Amino acid sequence: LEQSAELAKSGQVKEALAMLAALEKRCRVGNDTSNLIRVCETSLQYCKDAGDDELLLTTLQTLATRRSQKTQAIRALVQKCIPWCIDGQYQPVSVPDTQKKARDK
């Protein structure tokens, strides 16, 4: 996680996410749930810190729909993102058109 943090701080968010993706797979396959949750939450935090909402949505969707993803990890992803999706008095943030089309199908 330290190496990916250095990459993210230097503006290389995609490279940091690629490093975390490999670590996520090892944790998921190895049933290391606590570290899996940390890796998933860190991935989302890097996207949020970079201010790239599209990358955040893509990362969230990728992590949540991984084959045999742990329920605890999905729960942690949702809990991490919920505060970012609400503005003020529970006003939902607008979703890009591509996400709306996929959701409405």
Side-chain angles (χ1 to χ4, degrees), residues 14 17 47-48 51-62 96 98-99:
K14 290 186 180 183
L17 290 176
C47 297
K48 180 67 174 171
D52 191 341
D53 290 339
E54 188 172 326
L55 184 60
L56 176 64
L57 288 172
T58 303
T59 303
L60 177 61
Q61 183 176 16
T62 302
T98 57
Q99 294 295 327

Side-chain angles (χ1 to χ4, degrees), residues 5-105:
E6 291 174 16
L7 285 172
K9 286 178 186 175
S10 67
Q12 299 173 331
V13 177
K14 290 186 180 183
E15 289 81 2
L17 290 176
M19 185 179 290
L20 288 176
L23 185 56
E24 182 269 340
K25 182 176 182 178
R26 281 192 306 207
C27 292
R28 180 171 35 92
V29 172
N31 288 323
D32 186 359
T33 306
S34 61
N35 283 325
L36 174 64
I37 291 171
R38 284 182 47 218
V39 169
C40 290
E41 288 178 340
T42 302
S43 298
L44 294 179
Q45 190 64 52
Y46 289 167
C47 297
K48 180 67 174 171
D49 291 346
D52 191 341
D53 290 339
E54 188 172 326
L55 184 60
L56 176 64
L57 288 172
T58 303
T59 303
L60 177 61
Q61 183 176 16
T62 302
L63 290 172
T65 58
R66 288 275 169 107
R67 183 175 177 183
S68 71
Q69 185 61 280
K70 306 290 183 236
T71 306
Q72 297 95 329
I74 295 172
R75 183 182 310 123
L77 291 169
V78 172
Q79 288 175 346
K80 182 81 170 173
C81 288
I82 286 290
W84 299 336
C85 298
I86 299 174
D87 287 336
Q89 292 295 90
Y90 303 108
Q91 297 297 320
V93 175
S94 63
V95 177
D97 288 338
T98 57
Q99 294 295 327
K100 284 183 183 178
K101 290 175 186 174
R103 183 185 66 210
D104 293 340
K105 288 184 179 180

